[in-house]
Amino acid sequence: MSTRTYDPIAPQTVAFLGLGVMGHPMAGHLARAGHRVAVYNRTASKAAAWATEHGGTAAATPKAAADGADLVFCCVGNDDDLRSVALGEHGAFAGMKPGAIFVDHTTASAAVARELSAQARSRGLQFIDAPVSGGNLGAVNGALTVMCGGDAAAFEAMRPVALSFARAVTLLGSSGAGQLAKMVNQTAIAGLLQGLAEAIAFGERAGLDMDAVLAVIGKGAAQSWQMDVRGPTMIADQFDFGFAVDWMRKDLGLVLDEARRNGAQVPVTALVDQFYADLQAKGGGRQDTSSLVRRLR
Ligand SMILES: NC(=O)c1ccc[n+]([C@@H]2O[C@H](COP(=O)([O-])OP(=O)(O)OC[C@H]3O[C@@H](n4cnc5c(N)ncnc54)[C@H](OP(=O)(O)O)[C@@H]3O)[C@@H](O)[C@H]2O)c1
């Protein structure tokens, strides 16, 4: 368990929808920070287990979880999953009180953020798109980076609460801007990881001690989080952890769709996306994104 401490703020009534690898620990930080938390998960047993562990309430529907909440946090898989927990008869929007804020941490499209923001506004609610970076460890340690899009007043209201599970929560523009920033993040990582994979595979073929090489060049201009944290496990051929190739393909699909719309050139990202498709075809969809190096050995 994390040893994180929390800045004291007035306890709020919040909901959390989606208790997966990310949502479970994020919701845990909200409870430990003193907020009253109701949770919903599609597989109800996970919500019951969370409530037993953290002392909150497990609700049977997103609507019931959102009933009376000031803030409704959400972290599900993709655009359609998000619509299914937000909209409809049993969706969160149907249960939220006027002025309440829906904060979506799913990595989804900018288009769905704008769509749900408009739907929220028409019901007197607020919507902030707020995808995260930092992975499962960042969620467990309450040290995520949160990229937000939406209304400034709604952002100011959610920020102190989100800081229960994050170390940075930043507004980057209007609705959709958080999702676009996450696409920038994933684009930067895709090319970098392929470069790191090629560097490691090259050094191995050259007969170098790659742990020693990374220890040296990791103190120079080639240093990166991926090199420091994933380099040693790439050399050790370990990939059964981390951020899954399947999720990365979803994220790069969002980048490629958006690039088609805005005219950005992303040739390296498109190529790396195909390399990830190779890994999926070989059964590696659940392995960490650093498994790119496997194709080169
Ligand atoms: N894992 C990471 O390192 C990481 C890092 C940054 C961002 N993200 C993003 O964060 C989001 C969640 O990732 P995760 O790793 O937490 O995924 P996960 O472990 O697969 O959890 C997904 C959650 O969404 C729920 N869900 C999926 N489809 C649903 C639907 N149609 N209706 C209701 N609930 C649904 C799942 O419920 P069930 O329990 O019933 O399946 C589960 O609670 C994704 O968008 C991912 O790209 C992940």
Side-chain angles (χ1 to χ4, degrees):
M1 188 193 285
S2 155
T3 53
R4 233 206 90 146
T5 56
Y6 305 95
D7 289 340
I9 61 167
Q12 305 218 17
T13 301
V14 305
F16 205 108
L17 316 177
L19 302 171
V21 166
M22 300 298 285
H24 184 105
M26 290 165 79
H29 284 292
L30 290 170
R32 284 199 290 278
H35 302 295
R36 294 174 290 273
V37 188
V39 294
Y40 162 80
N41 196 68
R42 178 179 57 181
T43 306
S45 56
K46 290 192 205 169
W50 185 96
T52 303
E53 184 183 341
H54 295 284
T57 316
T61 64
K63 180 183 177 189
D67 185 20
D70 305 303
L71 291 158
V72 178
F73 295 92
C74 169
C75 192
V76 292
N78 60 27
D79 286 18
D80 285 342
D81 302 333
L82 172 59
R83 286 191 189 94
S84 81
V85 294
L87 304 175
E89 194 187 341
H90 302 294
F93 284 9
M96 288 166 70
K97 63 185 183 188
I101 306 165
F102 190 101
V103 181
D104 178 39
H105 296 295
T106 310
T107 302
S109 68
V112 80
R114 293 184 196 114
E115 171 194 321
L116 290 187
S117 176
Q119 291 250 14
R121 208 172 316 118
S122 73
R123 295 160 184 251
L125 309 172
Q126 297 274 6
F127 182 94
I128 299 283
D129 51 296
V132 301
S133 175
N136 171 252
L137 260 189
V140 168
N141 293 329
L144 293 170
T145 296
V146 189
M147 297 153 260
C148 301
D151 173 78
F155 168 77
E156 289 304 334
M158 61 71 78
R159 185 172 179 275
V161 185
L163 280 169
S164 307
F165 50 74
R167 66 177 165 201
V169 182
T170 308
L171 184 65
L172 292 160
S174 59
S175 189
Q179 295 297 353
L180 292 171
K182 174 74 182 184
M183 291 175 210
V184 172
N185 185 76
Q186 300 306 70
T187 302
I189 287 176
L192 189 153
L193 264 177
Q194 176 63 15
L196 182 58
E198 290 181 17
I200 289 173
F202 175 97
E204 287 170 348
R205 285 189 191 248
L208 294 171
D209 174 346
M210 284 310 295
D211 283 313
V213 172
L214 290 198
V216 174
I217 68 172
K219 295 187 175 58
Q223 187 274 340
S224 65
W225 183 95
Q226 299 289 345
M227 180 179 281
D228 289 351
V229 179
R230 296 290 184 240
T233 46
M234 289 165 85
I235 294 167
D237 206 37
Q238 292 167 356
F239 307 106
D240 290 331
F241 52 79
F243 186 61
V245 165
D246 288 342
W247 279 140
M248 188 59 154
R249 281 220 78 207
K250 168 186 67 99
D251 294 1
L252 296 184
L254 294 169
V255 172
L256 297 174
D257 282 351
E258 195 63 43
R260 270 188 285 277
R261 263 189 292 277
N262 70 16
Q265 294 187 39
V266 287
V268 173
T269 306
L271 193 59
V272 176
D273 179 56
Q274 289 309 300
F275 296 160
Y276 281 127
D278 284 353
L279 293 170
Q280 281 180 315
K282 292 184 182 118
R286 296 304 299 172
Q287 295 205 314
D288 183 65
T289 42
S290 59
S291 58
L292 276 176
V293 72
R294 291 203 120 164
R295 296 181 57 262
L296 308 175
R297 286 188 169 134

